[in-house]
Amino acid sequence: MTNVLRAVGAVSLLAGLAACSQEQQSDVDSAAGSVASAAQATMSVLNIETGRTVEADRSIADETETFAPDDTIYASVITTGSAEPGTMVSRWTFPDGSTVDQPADSGAVAGRMLFFITKPEGLATGTYKFQVIVDGQDVRSEEVTVQAAADTTQ
């Protein structure tokens, strides 16, 4: 009985597809492609600022690429346009190769999204990579360095 129902369902699906003309199928494919393209093109990442202190508008007050182990590293991502929730994430790659993904916050202010990393026991020294990923594509990245506290006076 189950096989009969599956066969009837498959025949119905094929009949429905055959009922559409080639032009109608093209129109549906074109409309879907246009919508998908428009959604992808609505947001652009313009720049990434990194620093230790954040202003109320989510800009970085003290831009730097050099940090101490006990610092919080903030990344302010400057964008234009908009994107569906969940389409933008950031990825922090630590010196040991481990990664942490953070979804974009929903409260962008004046085209800025804010991300950060910190560790209570302190960040390991070395180079960290911050990536912005939109719809699964790496669109922009920035590297920062964590050095011993005496070396971060820049």
Side-chain angles (χ1 to χ4, degrees), residues 45-48 130-133 137-142:
V45 175
L46 302 176
N47 196 18
I48 300 170
F130 174 78
Q131 297 169 271
V132 178
I133 301 165
Q137 301 294 316
D138 183 0
V139 295
R140 193 166 290 255
S141 62
E142 184 79 23

Side-chain angles (χ1 to χ4, degrees), residues 48-52 63-68 71-76 92-95 117 123-131 141-147:
I48 300 170
E49 297 173 351
T50 58
R52 296 178 192 91
E63 282 190 62
T64 186
E65 296 173 356
T66 307
F67 298 87
D71 286 339
T72 297
I73 302 174
Y74 291 98
S76 179
W92 294 94
T93 303
F94 290 73
I117 56 170
L123 294 165
T125 58
T127 301
Y128 290 73
K129 184 175 183 180
F130 174 78
Q131 297 169 271
S141 62
E142 184 79 23
E143 289 189 350
V144 298
T145 304
V146 174
Q147 299 176 343

